Amino acid sequence: MFPEQGPPSSDQANPRVGLANVVVRGDLNGTLTRIPSCVVAVALRSVLGESHNSSDQGIIMLKRVLLAFALLLGTVVVVAPTASAKGNSCENRNNNNLDKLLECVTIDGVRSHQAAFQAAADANGGNREASSPGYAASGQYVVDQMSAAGYDVTVQGFDYPYFEELTPAELQQIAPALVDYPYFDGAGFATMSYSGSGDVTAAPEGVDLALGTVEWPADPSTSTSGCEPADFAGFTPGSIAIIQRGACSFALKAANAEAAGAVGVVIFNQGNGPTRISAFLGTLGGPGATVPVVGANFNVGVELAGADVARVFVDAVSETRQTFNVLAETITGDPNNVVMVGAHLDSVAEGPGIQDNGSGSAAILEVALQMKKVNPVNKVRFAWWGAEEAGLLGSTHYVGGLTQEEKDQIALYLNFDMIGSPNHFFGIYDGDESTFDQPDGFIPEGSAQIEETFEQYYDSIGQPYEDTAFSGRSDYGPFIAVGIPAGGLFTGAEGIKTPEQVLLYGGTAGDQFDPCYHLACDTFANVSLTALDVNSDAVADATLNYAMSTELINGGRSKGNFKPQGSPAS
């Protein structure tokens, strides 16, 4: 899940990155081609032996199978452990009612997919970040599973901006006195997203500052520091530019400084009020800067503007990379009334992301596989999004590429991001705004009905629940932004559990809902099996209900005993 604070400040909207659509099948590493089943069989025999039953080994054999594929195919492919607990009844029958589907969507099935995602990370540096081999292996696994189940599978490629700090940045005044400013601290500084790298020691030089001082007499509220090339008239090339926030984007300020010969850039807060003093998380919007750029506290900037020598150090990767979404839809169902079900597939670079968001990705995959023989009234389109952790980029790319006609064909979108948090609560996106108010028109009509669907399911099993903010934090954001009704579930990230929530759900008050959120410990073990089991069934219930009827959302027809309960959208 994208962090709570949302995208860092840029002082203007980020520029749109270049995007490309690619429709492919099969191998996602390099040239994309279908992997024939005979090749899979040869690879398995080379590892397991002709008569060996791979299902007997389960997870133990995953790494050995991965190695065989790497040798035979020049890529990494994850082979899922066989889930035999459900038996042949679920493999062969049409799960076209809720009782049958819920019987077949099991925690063991969901966990088998999470095990495959963990294996993909283990074989590829420990993470499944959107441009990594671990992500490619995870995507390949989903493609193989959904293709084998008979879905129409599409891989949609796109470019996205990537930024990662490799070591903590440093900002110092060297002379007249040595001062170390604290990193990632409100009293100090933070690295600008998409900063260039470098370790520079040079004279700092203020640029058209407005400090209300004798040297810089303009009022801080009037600052346009660095917004025009003329601001750098007389600037000494080889200096560190000390620039004040205000009036234009950080990207423009940094670009003008680079063009004037700055070897480093410090953009400090504007100082025109109590909320414009602290260091801030800024962004340059995308790759391009070649010198280190940081955002600093107002007082740090004032001090550096009067210093003799300063040092800026940033060690980061800032570049454009490629990734993809996986989309798989039913062959049948009304193509003019599409039900979309999605979860982001990528992790952060710090860990494998088996809860965030291997939980949602695994749950919708298991539901899709158990619905493979269902003949829905409405076409169902499952989506595994890439680069959510970079700012909802996969879903944004998908929605941005739709024509108005294609948007109108989507009846609703269901989103599942972090649905098995270890110290969980049971949260439903607040589509009726009964707890979390949003600006007028922010939440589309029909979202309240989706919330009610999940409430009815939880009520039916006696499960307590509560509203969770419907603020655009996850991949539903691009959908509601264009008027598509949405809803979904969430069990908590970095938020802190209250004593009142402990009475409802158990767990530990004062701890994070997910203590391993965005950390290396977000592994296969980082899960509440209870939450994941309950929510996997909730995913199945909502998906099948809407596959058969969207009557309460848009007046669509219903099938058989799928008669919706509740008030229709106006």
Side-chain angles (χ1 to χ4, degrees):
M1 169 165 282
F2 197 73
E4 184 68 59
Q5 69 267 20
S9 172
S10 65
D11 274 19
Q12 69 172 25
N14 289 347
R16 188 182 180 106
V17 297
L19 304 172
N21 284 308
V22 183
V23 178
V24 295
R25 303 267 196 298
D27 180 17
L28 302 178
N29 190 16
T31 303
L32 308 183
T33 56
R34 177 176 293 280
I35 300 175
S37 59
C38 60
V39 176
V40 175
V42 170
L44 286 170
R45 290 192 196 103
S46 71
V47 176
L48 304 175
E50 184 71 41
S51 62
H52 193 96
N53 183 353
S54 62
S55 65
D56 294 338
Q57 295 299 313
I59 298 171
I60 297 173
M61 297 305 300
L62 280 172
K63 290 183 180 179
R64 199 177 297 174
V65 172
L66 283 164
L67 177 60
F69 274 95
L71 292 172
L72 288 170
L73 305 177
T75 188
V76 177
V77 178
V78 178
V79 178
T82 301
S84 58
K86 295 188 290 290
N88 290 330
S89 60
C90 288
E91 286 295 319
N92 298 323
R93 77 186 186 191
N94 182 351
N95 294 316
N96 57 357
N97 66 48
L98 291 172
D99 288 341
K100 290 195 290 186
L101 181 61
L102 294 182
E103 179 186 352
C104 291
V105 173
T106 67
I107 188 63
D108 288 343
V110 175
R111 292 291 274 167
S112 73
H113 307 313
Q114 286 188 304
F117 297 150
Q118 180 70 64
D122 289 345
N124 293 283
N127 73 73
R128 300 183 305 111
E129 185 278 325
S131 61
S132 70
Y135 181 76
S138 298
Q140 182 65 61
Y141 175 80
V142 172
V143 167
D144 289 346
Q145 294 284 310
M146 294 298 284
S147 295
Y151 287 87
D152 184 8
V153 179
T154 297
V155 176
Q156 181 186 49
F158 61 95
D159 296 341
Y160 77 105
Y162 178 83
F163 179 76
E164 179 185 1
E165 283 199 87
L166 304 178
T167 55
E170 298 177 28
L171 178 63
Q172 296 174 304
Q173 177 184 277
I174 303 299
L178 180 62
V179 180
D180 290 313
Y181 300 108
Y183 170 67
F184 222 77
D185 187 294
F189 77 103
T191 309
M192 288 270 184
S193 293
Y194 307 108
S195 167
S197 293
D199 187 350
V200 296
T201 300
E205 195 167 322
V207 177
D208 191 29
L209 304 181
L211 304 180
T213 64
V214 173
E215 185 178 2
W216 304 100
D219 186 272
S221 64
T222 67
S223 171
T224 61
S225 172
C227 291
E228 298 178 0
D231 293 343
F232 293 86
F235 183 83
T236 306
S239 299
I240 296 172
I242 310 299
I243 302 175
Q244 193 171 3
R245 184 179 188 176
C248 65
S249 71
F250 303 137
L252 180 59
K253 293 174 186 282
N256 285 338
E258 273 204 74
V263 294
V265 179
V266 177
I267 302 175
F268 65 95
N269 217 337
Q270 194 166 352
N272 57 324
T275 62
R276 288 280 204 170
I277 299 295
S278 177
F280 53 91
L281 293 173
T283 180
L284 302 180
T290 62
V291 301
V293 184
V294 300
N297 183 288
F298 173 76
N299 297 310
V300 171
V302 172
E303 188 170 38
L304 288 176
D308 298 326
V309 182
R311 175 175 174 260
V312 185
F313 166 73
V314 173
D315 180 19
V317 176
S318 178
E319 61 190 16
T320 298
R321 292 187 173 184
Q322 292 74 44
T323 190
F324 57 89
N325 300 319
V326 178
L327 299 118
E329 63 184 28
T330 55
I331 303 301
T332 59
D334 184 355
N336 294 311
N337 201 46
V338 178
V339 172
M340 287 201 66
V341 183
H344 77 86
L345 185 59
D346 63 313
S347 75
V348 293
E350 288 77 10
I354 305 305
Q355 151 62 6
D356 180 16
N357 182 39
S359 58
S361 291
I364 70 168
L365 177 56
E366 182 62 12
V367 168
L369 295 179
Q370 298 308 324
M371 286 181 60
K372 64 185 179 182
K373 293 184 180 295
V374 173
N375 184 25
V377 171
N378 307 305
K379 184 175 287 292
V380 182
R381 183 177 300 146
F382 295 90
W384 289 264
W385 306 117
E388 188 271 354
E389 297 290 7
L392 317 183
L393 299 184
S395 54
T396 298
H397 172 59
Y398 172 78
V399 173
L402 297 174
T403 65
Q404 187 57 53
E405 181 182 7
E406 290 168 332
K407 293 173 188 173
D408 293 341
Q409 290 170 342
I410 299 174
L412 60 97
Y413 172 70
L414 304 177
N415 191 73
F416 303 103
D417 187 356
M418 301 184 69
I419 62 171
S421 304
N423 196 31
H424 62 277
F425 71 100
F426 284 91
I428 306 173
Y429 294 138
D430 187 17
D432 63 5
E433 301 180 69
S434 59
T435 303
F436 300 95
D437 289 335
Q438 301 294 344
D440 290 345
F442 183 80
I443 297 178
E445 292 288 336
S447 300
Q449 284 68 30
I450 297 172
E451 179 185 4
E452 188 175 6
T453 294
F454 290 112
E455 291 174 344
Q456 289 174 354
Y457 178 74
Y458 282 151
D459 285 339
S460 75
I461 62 172
Q463 175 60 59
Y465 56 86
E466 61 189 80
D467 288 344
T468 191
F470 199 36
S471 58
R473 183 182 177 185
S474 190
D475 285 305
Y476 61 84
F479 288 87
I480 65 174
V482 297
I484 296 172
L489 305 176
F490 176 55
T491 55
E494 75 276 45
I496 302 300
K497 195 165 203 175
T498 67
E500 293 76 17
Q501 289 174 317
V502 171
L503 294 177
L504 290 173
Y505 313 113
T508 305
D511 284 358
Q512 289 186 186
F513 296 115
D514 184 351
C516 289
Y517 173 67
H518 283 188
L519 297 175
C521 58
D522 186 5
T523 64
F524 186 79
N526 184 50
V527 68
S528 163
L529 294 178
T530 297
L532 186 59
D533 193 13
V534 168
N535 279 337
S536 295
D537 285 347
V539 173
D541 177 88
T543 302
L544 186 58
N545 266 307
Y546 285 120
M548 296 304 186
S549 173
T550 61
E551 183 176 339
L552 293 183
I553 307 299
N554 59 9
R557 66 187 179 92
S558 300
K559 181 176 183 178
N561 60 350
F562 289 90
K563 297 297 182 182
Q565 299 177 359
S567 303
S570 58

